[in-house]
Amino acid sequence: MDIASIIQGYAQGYFLMADESGKLGWYTSHQRTLIPLDDRFRYPKSLRRVLNQKRFTVAINRDFQAVCEGCANRKTTWISPELMKIYLALHQAGWAYSFETWQGDCLAGGILGIVIRGAFIGESMFYRIPEGSKVAMVKLVEHLRERGFVLFDAQLQNPHLERFGSYLVSDKEYQILLRKALARQCKFA
């Protein structure tokens, strides 16, 4: 697959995943999970204390490959070796980013995503230090708001994302928001 085709697929609302056998395919969903970039975004009060303690610093692309590896390092993963290579190629071409939290020189957590104009398409997240990915989520939302992003696509709903106010939209609503996001020129880094 070439990079232009991959970006075109994401710009049409598809995303790449590997199945249990490692076979890569394009997927879409009748409902998409979005992270709100407005006042619907929320997080647990306990996380507010962690943020106030300033235990973590944030960085973009300080260690992109380590974030990819951290996201793939789980019992069941959709990030196959082939998809890992694609993410690295997208990163080198300026499309894929890692938004990271650090505790000193230790990578605490991060979020892997693809940026197309005003859309941040979150592919995966992980943590090595408790609260590392949660702080990354809060700081990433602040980052996207400051830069005028329209859409933070989290693809699939789960209880962890619900704690941040994630919500479902129909494919029709998603396509409208995606077109709006693609019409806006935003700089991520």
Side-chain angles (χ1 to χ4, degrees):
M1 276 190 236
D2 68 296
I3 288 173
S5 299
I6 292 168
I7 295 304
Q8 185 177 17
Y10 276 94
Q12 292 173 358
Y14 296 95
F15 52 93
L16 284 170
M17 286 177 63
D19 64 17
E20 297 82 33
S21 67
K23 186 172 187 254
L24 204 55
W26 284 105
Y27 293 85
T28 190
S29 177
H30 296 298
Q31 291 187 312
R32 279 305 251 280
T33 299
L34 303 182
I35 303 296
L37 297 176
D38 56 21
D39 58 5
R40 292 175 289 178
F41 181 75
R42 62 180 188 271
Y43 52 88
K45 283 190 172 105
S46 59
L47 189 55
R48 206 164 287 146
R49 284 191 293 279
V50 173
L51 289 161
N52 289 338
Q53 292 168 354
K54 298 186 185 333
R55 294 186 344 219
F56 300 101
T57 57
V58 296
I60 296 172
N61 294 339
R62 183 168 158 190
D63 196 340
F64 182 84
Q65 185 159 346
V67 171
C68 287
E69 290 166 358
C71 289
N73 184 18
R74 54 188 81 199
K75 226 181 245 185
T76 306
T77 184
W78 59 95
I79 303 176
S80 64
E82 182 185 3
L83 187 51
M84 181 83 74
K85 287 179 189 167
I86 289 171
Y87 287 149
L88 292 170
L90 289 171
H91 171 65
Q92 289 174 337
W95 295 102
Y97 292 87
S98 59
F99 194 87
E100 309 155 0
T101 50
W102 290 81
Q103 198 168 62
D105 287 334
C106 190
L107 178 61
I111 300 172
L112 169 65
I114 293 169
V115 175
I116 308 172
R117 295 181 169 255
F120 182 90
I121 302 159
E123 293 288 286
S124 188
M125 63 193 299
F126 86 105
Y127 71 91
R128 289 184 184 155
I129 296 173
E131 313 298 355
S133 63
K134 294 175 188 169
V135 171
M137 175 70 82
V138 172
K139 294 299 185 178
L140 176 56
V141 166
E142 290 173 3
H143 184 81
L144 295 173
R145 285 175 175 166
E146 288 167 7
R147 283 155 181 78
F149 275 72
V150 173
L151 181 67
F152 183 167
D153 177 4
Q155 298 171 351
L156 304 170
Q157 184 72 287
N158 66 47
H160 175 69
L161 295 176
E162 286 176 357
R163 296 176 71 195
F164 292 93
S166 66
Y167 62 100
L168 295 170
V169 295
S170 68
D171 184 54
K172 185 178 179 182
E173 291 171 284
Y174 177 77
Q175 291 295 332
I176 291 167
L177 283 168
L178 182 58
R179 280 194 297 277
K180 190 176 170 189
L182 296 177
R184 184 165 304 172
Q185 192 71 280
C186 297
K187 292 254 185 256
F188 184 77

Short mmCIF file of all heavy atoms in Angstrom, two decimals, residues 88-146:
data_model
loop_
_atom_site.label_atom_id
_atom_site.label_comp_id
_atom_site.label_asym_id
_atom_site.label_seq_id
_atom_site.Cartn_x
_atom_site.Cartn_y
_atom_site.Cartn_z
N LEU A 88 5.09 3.62 10.83
CA LEU A 88 6.41 4.24 10.75
C LEU A 88 6.57 5.01 9.44
O LEU A 88 7.12 6.12 9.43
CB LEU A 88 7.51 3.20 10.93
CG LEU A 88 7.60 2.59 12.33
CD1 LEU A 88 8.55 1.38 12.34
CD2 LEU A 88 8.02 3.60 13.37
N ALA A 89 6.08 4.45 8.34
CA ALA A 89 6.15 5.14 7.05
C ALA A 89 5.28 6.40 7.06
O ALA A 89 5.68 7.46 6.55
CB ALA A 89 5.73 4.21 5.92
N LEU A 90 4.08 6.30 7.65
CA LEU A 90 3.20 7.47 7.76
C LEU A 90 3.84 8.55 8.64
O LEU A 90 3.72 9.75 8.36
CB LEU A 90 1.83 7.06 8.34
CG LEU A 90 0.93 6.24 7.43
CD1 LEU A 90 -0.28 5.73 8.21
CD2 LEU A 90 0.47 7.06 6.23
N HIS A 91 4.52 8.11 9.68
CA HIS A 91 5.22 9.06 10.56
C HIS A 91 6.32 9.78 9.79
O HIS A 91 6.42 11.01 9.85
CB HIS A 91 5.79 8.31 11.76
CG HIS A 91 6.71 9.13 12.60
ND1 HIS A 91 6.28 10.23 13.31
CD2 HIS A 91 8.03 9.02 12.83
CE1 HIS A 91 7.31 10.76 13.96
NE2 HIS A 91 8.38 10.05 13.68
N GLN A 92 7.12 9.04 9.06
CA GLN A 92 8.21 9.65 8.29
C GLN A 92 7.68 10.60 7.22
O GLN A 92 8.34 11.59 6.89
CB GLN A 92 9.09 8.57 7.65
CG GLN A 92 9.92 7.84 8.69
CD GLN A 92 10.70 6.67 8.13
OE1 GLN A 92 10.36 6.11 7.09
NE2 GLN A 92 11.77 6.31 8.83
N ALA A 93 6.48 10.33 6.72
CA ALA A 93 5.87 11.20 5.71
C ALA A 93 5.10 12.37 6.32
O ALA A 93 4.55 13.20 5.60
CB ALA A 93 4.95 10.37 4.82
N GLY A 94 5.03 12.44 7.67
CA GLY A 94 4.38 13.57 8.33
C GLY A 94 2.89 13.40 8.59
O GLY A 94 2.20 14.38 8.87
N TRP A 95 2.37 12.17 8.54
CA TRP A 95 0.95 11.93 8.77
C TRP A 95 0.64 11.33 10.15
O TRP A 95 -0.43 11.57 10.69
CB TRP A 95 0.38 10.99 7.70
CG TRP A 95 0.41 11.56 6.32
CD1 TRP A 95 1.30 11.26 5.34
CD2 TRP A 95 -0.49 12.52 5.75
NE1 TRP A 95 1.02 11.98 4.20
CE2 TRP A 95 -0.08 12.76 4.42
CE3 TRP A 95 -1.60 13.20 6.24
CZ2 TRP A 95 -0.73 13.64 3.58
CZ3 TRP A 95 -2.25 14.08 5.39
CH2 TRP A 95 -1.83 14.30 4.09
N ALA A 96 1.55 10.53 10.68
CA ALA A 96 1.30 9.85 11.97
C ALA A 96 2.14 10.49 13.06
O ALA A 96 3.30 10.85 12.84
CB ALA A 96 1.61 8.36 11.84
N TYR A 97 1.53 10.61 14.24
CA TYR A 97 2.17 11.29 15.37
C TYR A 97 1.98 10.48 16.65
O TYR A 97 1.00 9.76 16.80
CB TYR A 97 1.55 12.66 15.59
CG TYR A 97 1.83 13.64 14.50
CD1 TYR A 97 1.02 13.72 13.38
CD2 TYR A 97 2.92 14.51 14.58
CE1 TYR A 97 1.28 14.61 12.36
CE2 TYR A 97 3.19 15.42 13.57
CZ TYR A 97 2.37 15.46 12.46
OH TYR A 97 2.64 16.35 11.46
N SER A 98 2.91 10.68 17.57
CA SER A 98 2.71 10.17 18.92
C SER A 98 2.65 11.36 19.86
O SER A 98 3.46 12.28 19.77
CB SER A 98 3.85 9.22 19.32
OG SER A 98 5.10 9.86 19.27
N PHE A 99 1.65 11.35 20.72
CA PHE A 99 1.50 12.37 21.76
C PHE A 99 1.81 11.65 23.06
O PHE A 99 1.10 10.72 23.44
CB PHE A 99 0.08 12.94 21.75
CG PHE A 99 -0.04 14.20 22.55
CD1 PHE A 99 0.23 15.44 21.98
CD2 PHE A 99 -0.40 14.15 23.89
CE1 PHE A 99 0.13 16.60 22.73
CE2 PHE A 99 -0.50 15.31 24.64
CZ PHE A 99 -0.23 16.54 24.05
N GLU A 100 2.88 12.06 23.71
CA GLU A 100 3.48 11.26 24.78
C GLU A 100 3.49 11.97 26.13
O GLU A 100 3.58 13.20 26.19
CB GLU A 100 4.93 10.94 24.41
CG GLU A 100 5.09 10.36 23.02
CD GLU A 100 6.45 10.59 22.40
OE1 GLU A 100 7.33 11.23 23.05
OE2 GLU A 100 6.65 10.15 21.25
N THR A 101 3.46 11.15 27.19
CA THR A 101 3.73 11.66 28.53
C THR A 101 5.02 11.02 29.00
O THR A 101 5.29 9.85 28.74
CB THR A 101 2.60 11.34 29.52
OG1 THR A 101 2.28 9.95 29.44
CG2 THR A 101 1.37 12.18 29.25
N TRP A 102 5.81 11.82 29.70
CA TRP A 102 7.11 11.39 30.21
C TRP A 102 7.20 11.71 31.69
O TRP A 102 6.69 12.74 32.13
CB TRP A 102 8.24 12.10 29.47
CG TRP A 102 8.37 11.64 28.05
CD1 TRP A 102 7.62 12.05 26.98
CD2 TRP A 102 9.31 10.70 27.55
NE1 TRP A 102 8.02 11.40 25.85
CE2 TRP A 102 9.07 10.57 26.16
CE3 TRP A 102 10.33 9.95 28.12
CZ2 TRP A 102 9.81 9.71 25.36
CZ3 TRP A 102 11.07 9.10 27.32
CH2 TRP A 102 10.80 8.99 25.96
N GLN A 103 7.85 10.83 32.41
CA GLN A 103 8.20 11.10 33.80
C GLN A 103 9.72 11.04 33.84
O GLN A 103 10.32 9.97 33.79
CB GLN A 103 7.57 10.06 34.73
CG GLN A 103 7.53 10.51 36.17
CD GLN A 103 6.63 9.59 36.99
OE1 GLN A 103 6.92 8.40 37.09
NE2 GLN A 103 5.57 10.14 37.56
N GLY A 104 10.33 12.22 33.83
CA GLY A 104 11.79 12.29 33.69
C GLY A 104 12.17 11.76 32.32
O GLY A 104 11.63 12.19 31.31
N ASP A 105 13.07 10.78 32.27
CA ASP A 105 13.49 10.18 31.01
C ASP A 105 12.73 8.90 30.69
O ASP A 105 13.11 8.14 29.80
CB ASP A 105 15.00 9.87 31.05
CG ASP A 105 15.83 11.13 30.95
OD1 ASP A 105 15.34 12.12 30.37
OD2 ASP A 105 16.97 11.13 31.46
N CYS A 106 11.65 8.64 31.41
CA CYS A 106 10.88 7.41 31.24
C CYS A 106 9.57 7.71 30.51
O CYS A 106 8.79 8.56 30.95
CB CYS A 106 10.61 6.80 32.61
SG CYS A 106 9.92 5.15 32.52
N LEU A 107 9.34 7.00 29.40
CA LEU A 107 8.08 7.13 28.67
C LEU A 107 6.96 6.56 29.53
O LEU A 107 6.95 5.38 29.85
CB LEU A 107 8.18 6.39 27.33
CG LEU A 107 6.94 6.40 26.45
CD1 LEU A 107 6.53 7.82 26.04
CD2 LEU A 107 7.18 5.54 25.20
N ALA A 108 6.01 7.42 29.91
CA ALA A 108 4.94 7.00 30.82
C ALA A 108 3.72 6.48 30.08
O ALA A 108 3.02 5.60 30.56
CB ALA A 108 4.53 8.19 31.70
N GLY A 109 3.48 7.02 28.90
CA GLY A 109 2.31 6.61 28.12
C GLY A 109 2.23 7.42 26.85
O GLY A 109 3.04 8.33 26.63
N GLY A 110 1.26 7.09 26.03
CA GLY A 110 1.13 7.85 24.80
C GLY A 110 -0.08 7.45 23.99
O GLY A 110 -0.72 6.42 24.23
N ILE A 111 -0.36 8.29 23.02
CA ILE A 111 -1.47 8.09 22.08
C ILE A 111 -0.89 8.17 20.68
O ILE A 111 -0.15 9.10 20.35
CB ILE A 111 -2.57 9.15 22.28
CG1 ILE A 111 -3.11 9.07 23.71
CG2 ILE A 111 -3.67 8.99 21.25
CD1 ILE A 111 -4.07 10.18 24.10
N LEU A 112 -1.24 7.20 19.87
CA LEU A 112 -0.80 7.11 18.48
C LEU A 112 -1.96 7.57 17.60
O LEU A 112 -3.09 7.11 17.79
CB LEU A 112 -0.43 5.66 18.17
CG LEU A 112 -0.18 5.26 16.73
CD1 LEU A 112 1.05 5.97 16.19
CD2 LEU A 112 0.00 3.75 16.64
N GLY A 113 -1.69 8.48 16.67
CA GLY A 113 -2.77 8.95 15.82
C GLY A 113 -2.31 9.41 14.46
O GLY A 113 -1.13 9.65 14.23
N ILE A 114 -3.28 9.51 13.58
CA ILE A 114 -3.05 10.01 12.23
C ILE A 114 -3.74 11.36 12.13
O ILE A 114 -4.89 11.51 12.55
CB ILE A 114 -3.58 9.01 11.20
CG1 ILE A 114 -2.73 7.74 11.27
CG2 ILE A 114 -3.57 9.59 9.79
CD1 ILE A 114 -3.26 6.57 10.52
N VAL A 115 -3.01 12.34 11.59
CA VAL A 115 -3.54 13.69 11.48
C VAL A 115 -3.74 14.03 10.00
O VAL A 115 -2.80 13.96 9.21
CB VAL A 115 -2.58 14.72 12.13
CG1 VAL A 115 -3.07 16.13 11.89
CG2 VAL A 115 -2.43 14.45 13.61
N ILE A 116 -4.99 14.36 9.68
CA ILE A 116 -5.31 14.82 8.33
C ILE A 116 -6.09 16.12 8.50
O ILE A 116 -7.23 16.11 8.96
CB ILE A 116 -6.15 13.79 7.53
CG1 ILE A 116 -5.48 12.42 7.55
CG2 ILE A 116 -6.35 14.27 6.10
CD1 ILE A 116 -6.33 11.30 6.95
N ARG A 117 -5.42 17.22 8.20
CA ARG A 117 -5.99 18.57 8.34
C ARG A 117 -6.56 18.78 9.74
O ARG A 117 -5.84 18.77 10.70
CB ARG A 117 -6.98 18.84 7.23
CG ARG A 117 -6.31 18.88 5.86
CD ARG A 117 -7.32 19.17 4.77
NE ARG A 117 -6.63 19.46 3.53
CZ ARG A 117 -6.52 20.70 3.02
NH1 ARG A 117 -7.05 21.72 3.64
NH2 ARG A 117 -5.87 20.88 1.90
N GLY A 118 -7.89 18.93 9.91
CA GLY A 118 -8.49 19.19 11.22
C GLY A 118 -9.01 17.96 11.92
O GLY A 118 -9.84 18.05 12.83
N ALA A 119 -8.52 16.78 11.50
CA ALA A 119 -8.95 15.52 12.12
C ALA A 119 -7.77 14.82 12.77
O ALA A 119 -6.72 14.66 12.14
CB ALA A 119 -9.58 14.59 11.07
N PHE A 120 -7.95 14.42 14.02
CA PHE A 120 -6.99 13.55 14.69
C PHE A 120 -7.68 12.21 14.83
O PHE A 120 -8.72 12.09 15.49
CB PHE A 120 -6.60 14.08 16.08
CG PHE A 120 -5.58 13.21 16.77
CD1 PHE A 120 -4.22 13.46 16.58
CD2 PHE A 120 -5.96 12.15 17.57
CE1 PHE A 120 -3.26 12.65 17.20
CE2 PHE A 120 -5.02 11.34 18.19
CZ PHE A 120 -3.66 11.59 17.99
N ILE A 121 -7.12 11.20 14.18
CA ILE A 121 -7.70 9.86 14.19
C ILE A 121 -6.85 9.01 15.14
O ILE A 121 -5.73 8.62 14.81
CB ILE A 121 -7.74 9.27 12.78
CG1 ILE A 121 -8.56 10.20 11.87
CG2 ILE A 121 -8.34 7.86 12.80
CD1 ILE A 121 -8.30 10.05 10.40
N GLY A 122 -7.38 8.80 16.33
CA GLY A 122 -6.66 8.07 17.35
C GLY A 122 -6.64 6.58 17.03
O GLY A 122 -7.70 5.96 16.89
N GLU A 123 -5.46 6.03 16.90
CA GLU A 123 -5.32 4.62 16.56
C GLU A 123 -5.23 3.75 17.81
O GLU A 123 -5.79 2.67 17.85
CB GLU A 123 -4.06 4.41 15.71
CG GLU A 123 -4.16 5.04 14.33
CD GLU A 123 -5.12 4.29 13.42
OE1 GLU A 123 -4.77 3.20 12.95
OE2 GLU A 123 -6.22 4.80 13.19
N SER A 124 -4.50 4.20 18.82
CA SER A 124 -4.32 3.40 20.02
C SER A 124 -3.68 4.25 21.11
O SER A 124 -3.14 5.32 20.83
CB SER A 124 -3.44 2.19 19.70
OG SER A 124 -3.39 1.29 20.79
N MET A 125 -3.73 3.73 22.33
CA MET A 125 -3.05 4.39 23.44
C MET A 125 -2.55 3.31 24.40
O MET A 125 -3.01 2.18 24.37
CB MET A 125 -3.96 5.40 24.13
CG MET A 125 -5.18 4.84 24.78
SD MET A 125 -6.40 6.09 25.28
CE MET A 125 -5.50 7.08 26.42
N PHE A 126 -1.56 3.69 25.22
CA PHE A 126 -1.00 2.75 26.18
C PHE A 126 -0.39 3.54 27.34
O PHE A 126 -0.23 4.76 27.27
CB PHE A 126 0.08 1.88 25.52
CG PHE A 126 1.44 2.52 25.52
CD1 PHE A 126 2.43 2.09 26.41
CD2 PHE A 126 1.72 3.59 24.69
CE1 PHE A 126 3.67 2.71 26.44
CE2 PHE A 126 2.95 4.21 24.71
CZ PHE A 126 3.93 3.77 25.59
N TYR A 127 -0.05 2.81 28.40
CA TYR A 127 0.70 3.43 29.49
C TYR A 127 1.67 2.43 30.07
O TYR A 127 1.46 1.21 30.01
CB TYR A 127 -0.24 3.97 30.59
CG TYR A 127 -0.91 2.90 31.41
CD1 TYR A 127 -0.32 2.42 32.58
CD2 TYR A 127 -2.11 2.33 31.00
CE1 TYR A 127 -0.94 1.43 33.33
CE2 TYR A 127 -2.71 1.34 31.74
CZ TYR A 127 -2.12 0.90 32.90
OH TYR A 127 -2.72 -0.10 33.64
N ARG A 128 2.75 2.95 30.60
CA ARG A 128 3.72 2.15 31.35
C ARG A 128 3.69 2.54 32.82
O ARG A 128 4.04 1.76 33.69
CB ARG A 128 5.14 2.36 30.81
CG ARG A 128 5.36 1.74 29.46
CD ARG A 128 6.81 1.91 29.03
NE ARG A 128 7.00 1.39 27.69
CZ ARG A 128 7.96 1.80 26.88
NH1 ARG A 128 8.84 2.71 27.27
NH2 ARG A 128 8.06 1.28 25.68
N ILE A 129 3.35 3.80 33.07
CA ILE A 129 3.25 4.32 34.43
C ILE A 129 1.78 4.71 34.63
O ILE A 129 1.19 5.38 33.78
CB ILE A 129 4.17 5.56 34.61
CG1 ILE A 129 5.64 5.15 34.43
CG2 ILE A 129 3.94 6.21 35.97
CD1 ILE A 129 6.61 6.31 34.43
N PRO A 130 1.16 4.26 35.75
CA PRO A 130 -0.24 4.59 35.98
C PRO A 130 -0.52 6.08 35.77
O PRO A 130 0.27 6.93 36.15
CB PRO A 130 -0.48 4.17 37.43
CG PRO A 130 0.50 3.05 37.64
CD PRO A 130 1.72 3.45 36.84
N GLU A 131 -1.64 6.34 35.13
CA GLU A 131 -2.13 7.68 34.79
C GLU A 131 -1.43 8.28 33.56
O GLU A 131 -1.81 9.34 33.08
CB GLU A 131 -2.05 8.68 35.96
CG GLU A 131 -2.58 8.18 37.28
CD GLU A 131 -4.07 7.82 37.28
OE1 GLU A 131 -4.76 8.04 36.29
OE2 GLU A 131 -4.52 7.29 38.30
N GLY A 132 -0.41 7.62 33.02
CA GLY A 132 0.34 8.15 31.88
C GLY A 132 -0.52 8.39 30.65
O GLY A 132 -0.44 9.44 30.01
N SER A 133 -1.39 7.43 30.31
CA SER A 133 -2.24 7.61 29.12
C SER A 133 -3.39 8.57 29.40
O SER A 133 -3.82 9.30 28.51
CB SER A 133 -2.77 6.27 28.62
OG SER A 133 -3.61 5.67 29.58
N LYS A 134 -3.87 8.60 30.64
CA LYS A 134 -4.96 9.52 30.98
C LYS A 134 -4.50 10.97 30.89
O LYS A 134 -5.22 11.83 30.38
CB LYS A 134 -5.51 9.21 32.38
CG LYS A 134 -6.18 7.86 32.46
CD LYS A 134 -6.60 7.57 33.90
CE LYS A 134 -7.09 6.15 34.04
NZ LYS A 134 -7.25 5.77 35.43
N VAL A 135 -3.32 11.24 31.42
CA VAL A 135 -2.76 12.60 31.31
C VAL A 135 -2.54 12.94 29.84
O VAL A 135 -2.83 14.06 29.40
CB VAL A 135 -1.46 12.73 32.13
CG1 VAL A 135 -0.77 14.06 31.84
CG2 VAL A 135 -1.76 12.61 33.63
N ALA A 136 -2.07 11.98 29.05
CA ALA A 136 -1.88 12.21 27.62
C ALA A 136 -3.21 12.59 26.96
O ALA A 136 -3.25 13.50 26.14
CB ALA A 136 -1.29 10.97 26.95
N MET A 137 -4.29 11.92 27.35
CA MET A 137 -5.60 12.22 26.77
C MET A 137 -6.02 13.66 27.08
O MET A 137 -6.44 14.40 26.18
CB MET A 137 -6.64 11.24 27.32
CG MET A 137 -8.06 11.54 26.86
SD MET A 137 -8.34 11.21 25.13
CE MET A 137 -8.61 9.46 25.20
N VAL A 138 -5.90 14.07 28.33
CA VAL A 138 -6.29 15.43 28.72
C VAL A 138 -5.44 16.46 27.98
O VAL A 138 -5.96 17.43 27.41
CB VAL A 138 -6.18 15.62 30.25
CG1 VAL A 138 -6.39 17.08 30.64
CG2 VAL A 138 -7.17 14.72 30.97
N LYS A 139 -4.15 16.25 27.97
CA LYS A 139 -3.24 17.21 27.33
C LYS A 139 -3.42 17.22 25.81
O LYS A 139 -3.28 18.27 25.17
CB LYS A 139 -1.79 16.91 27.70
CG LYS A 139 -1.49 17.14 29.18
CD LYS A 139 -1.73 18.58 29.55
CE LYS A 139 -1.34 18.90 30.97
NZ LYS A 139 -1.55 20.33 31.29
N LEU A 140 -3.73 16.06 25.22
CA LEU A 140 -3.98 16.01 23.78
C LEU A 140 -5.24 16.79 23.42
O LEU A 140 -5.25 17.54 22.44
CB LEU A 140 -4.09 14.56 23.29
CG LEU A 140 -4.45 14.38 21.82
CD1 LEU A 140 -3.47 15.09 20.89
CD2 LEU A 140 -4.52 12.89 21.48
N VAL A 141 -6.29 16.64 24.20
CA VAL A 141 -7.52 17.40 23.94
C VAL A 141 -7.23 18.90 24.02
O VAL A 141 -7.66 19.68 23.15
CB VAL A 141 -8.66 16.98 24.90
CG1 VAL A 141 -9.81 17.98 24.86
CG2 VAL A 141 -9.16 15.58 24.53
N GLU A 142 -6.48 19.33 25.03
CA GLU A 142 -6.10 20.75 25.13
C GLU A 142 -5.32 21.18 23.89
O GLU A 142 -5.55 22.26 23.34
CB GLU A 142 -5.25 20.99 26.38
CG GLU A 142 -6.01 20.87 27.68
CD GLU A 142 -5.11 20.94 28.92
OE1 GLU A 142 -3.88 21.14 28.78
OE2 GLU A 142 -5.65 20.79 30.03
N HIS A 143 -4.39 20.35 23.45
CA HIS A 143 -3.55 20.62 22.28
C HIS A 143 -4.41 20.78 21.02
O HIS A 143 -4.22 21.72 20.23
CB HIS A 143 -2.54 19.48 22.12
CG HIS A 143 -1.56 19.66 21.03
ND1 HIS A 143 -0.42 20.43 21.16
CD2 HIS A 143 -1.52 19.15 19.77
CE1 HIS A 143 0.26 20.39 20.03
NE2 HIS A 143 -0.38 19.62 19.16
N LEU A 144 -5.36 19.85 20.83
CA LEU A 144 -6.23 19.90 19.65
C LEU A 144 -7.14 21.13 19.68
O LEU A 144 -7.35 21.77 18.64
CB LEU A 144 -7.05 18.62 19.55
CG LEU A 144 -6.26 17.33 19.31
CD1 LEU A 144 -7.17 16.11 19.41
CD2 LEU A 144 -5.52 17.35 17.98
N ARG A 145 -7.65 21.47 20.86
CA ARG A 145 -8.50 22.66 20.98
C ARG A 145 -7.73 23.93 20.61
O ARG A 145 -8.23 24.77 19.86
CB ARG A 145 -8.99 22.81 22.42
CG ARG A 145 -10.08 21.87 22.84
CD ARG A 145 -10.35 22.06 24.31
NE ARG A 145 -11.47 21.27 24.78
CZ ARG A 145 -11.74 21.06 26.05
NH1 ARG A 145 -10.97 21.58 26.99
NH2 ARG A 145 -12.78 20.31 26.40
N GLU A 146 -6.51 24.04 21.14
CA GLU A 146 -5.69 25.24 20.88
C GLU A 146 -5.40 25.42 19.39
O GLU A 146 -5.22 26.53 18.92
CB GLU A 146 -4.35 25.13 21.62
CG GLU A 146 -4.44 25.31 23.11
CD GLU A 146 -3.17 24.88 23.84
OE1 GLU A 146 -2.15 24.56 23.17
OE2 GLU A 146 -3.19 24.86 25.09
#
